[in-house]
Amino acid sequence: MDACSDPEIQEVVVMAGAQLGKTEAILNIIGYHIDNNPCPILVLQPTLEMAQAFSKDRIAAGLLRSTPVLKDKVKDPRARDSGNTTLHKVFAGGAITIVGANSPAGLASRPIRIVLCDEVDRYPTSAGTEGDPISLARKRSATFWNRKVIMVSTPTNKGASRIEDAYSKSDQRQYHVPCKHCHHCQVLKWANVKWDDGQPETAKYLCEECGVLWSEADRVWAIRNGEWIAKEPFKGIAGFAINGLCSPWTPL
Ligand SMILES: [Zn+2]
């Protein structure tokens, strides 16, 4: 979220496991722009059906209804004279358009400053016959000097993954966490998860440096104290990779 407000950064790539707050981050970026930095925003979902569900369940029923400062800024589509629809909502100084990556019509219209691409590994190769949906969305933002393209996804097929490909072109930041016992900073790996046969509830994390088995409290402490470390030099694209072992909501 900080990277999305950083003027040095043009693109943000987030490759993350399920249930790590990716969609919540997208909603926060939308809310921030409606309230503080209004501009035209495009949200790209894998399909038109998912675009409609995202608009109704996450934006209208979630973000707008539960955030006091946003409540009166975007009119409900059901209100008379609102002019708003499920997939296009105007607010003072900007608008949100929500489209499906399978729907070329939605991708071909207005100029956009913030392009938010959610779950990109579930996009079709082409939006109808119009070509790559992310390239089409990116073209919408070409006239803004302060444009941002944000791509978020759980990676699916190794070797044929849009998010993996985009991440490989970024500065490749990985989430490193410290061991509470020896303070060695490390990226959590599945190979270091240990448990008794048939008893998943006994799972513990083995520190790669000191060999201490972390308690669940140690793991949560480590996640809270982690930091992003880039592998490659920064050239305008900030990339973030984090896996499900870093979820504070799911036990090991
Ligand atoms: Zn250690």
Side-chain angles (χ1 to χ4, degrees):
M1 289 190 289
D2 287 342
C4 295
S5 309
D6 183 333
E8 303 287 313
I9 297 174
Q10 286 88 49
E11 292 202 21
V12 178
V13 178
V14 182
M15 179 165 73
Q19 300 299 316
L20 281 167
K22 297 187 298 296
T23 303
E24 219 50 56
I26 286 182
L27 290 166
N28 289 343
I29 294 163
I30 294 170
Y32 164 77
H33 281 283
I34 294 172
D35 190 40
N36 276 301
N37 193 350
C39 63
I41 301 169
L42 180 77
V43 181
L44 197 51
Q45 289 289 337
T47 64
L48 194 55
E49 291 70 29
M50 289 172 81
Q52 268 152 351
F54 180 80
S55 176
K56 286 180 190 155
D57 303 341
R58 306 304 298 267
I59 296 183
L63 177 72
L64 298 178
R65 192 171 296 170
S66 61
T67 313
V69 291
L70 300 180
K71 235 177 205 161
D72 300 322
K73 295 207 168 175
V74 184
K75 282 191 185 160
D76 192 305
R78 287 164 302 183
R80 231 186 295 165
D81 81 352
S82 82
N84 284 347
T85 63
T86 303
L87 298 178
H88 185 68
K89 297 175 190 301
V90 177
F91 50 88
I96 324 171
T97 309
I98 306 128
V99 305
N102 60 348
S103 154
L107 284 164
S109 46
R110 314 165 176 87
I112 298 293
R113 179 156 91 76
I114 309 285
V115 178
L116 292 160
C117 306
D118 197 9
E119 289 302 343
V120 301
D121 272 19
R122 296 167 73 181
Y123 289 6
T125 319
S126 178
T129 54
E130 303 293 310
D132 175 43
I134 298 177
S135 307
L136 292 172
R138 199 191 294 273
K139 277 186 199 152
R140 300 292 103 226
S141 70
T143 53
F144 288 94
W145 65 272
N146 53 355
R147 62 185 173 270
K148 298 263 187 248
V149 177
I150 294 134
M151 273 180 257
V152 168
S153 196
T154 299
T156 52
N157 304 320
K158 208 166 173 58
S161 160
R162 281 177 193 277
I163 200 74
E164 203 176 52
D165 187 47
Y167 179 75
S168 71
K169 293 170 184 146
S170 74
D171 60 0
Q172 302 185 23
R173 302 172 200 200
Q174 287 182 295
Y175 197 64
H176 288 66
V177 304
C179 169
K180 201 174 182 182
H181 306 275
C182 72
H183 297 282
H184 173 68
C185 215
Q186 53 204 295
V187 173
L188 299 186
K189 296 178 193 81
W190 179 243
N192 290 341
V193 179
K194 307 292 172 192
W195 67 95
D196 298 336
D197 245 1
Q199 292 177 280
E201 68 280 6
T202 61
K204 289 195 164 57
Y205 195 85
L206 177 83
C207 171
E208 66 180 18
E209 181 71 11
C210 71
V212 167
L213 287 166
W214 296 355
S215 67
E216 193 57 9
D218 289 348
R219 187 181 69 92
V220 171
W221 180 89
I223 296 163
R224 289 230 170 93
N225 290 283
E227 62 181 328
W228 293 101
I229 299 175
K231 237 171 30 184
E232 299 293 329
F234 173 73
K235 291 180 203 140
I237 308 175
F240 300 86
I242 185 166
N243 68 49
L245 300 176
C246 291
S247 173
W249 302 291
T250 313
L252 204 55

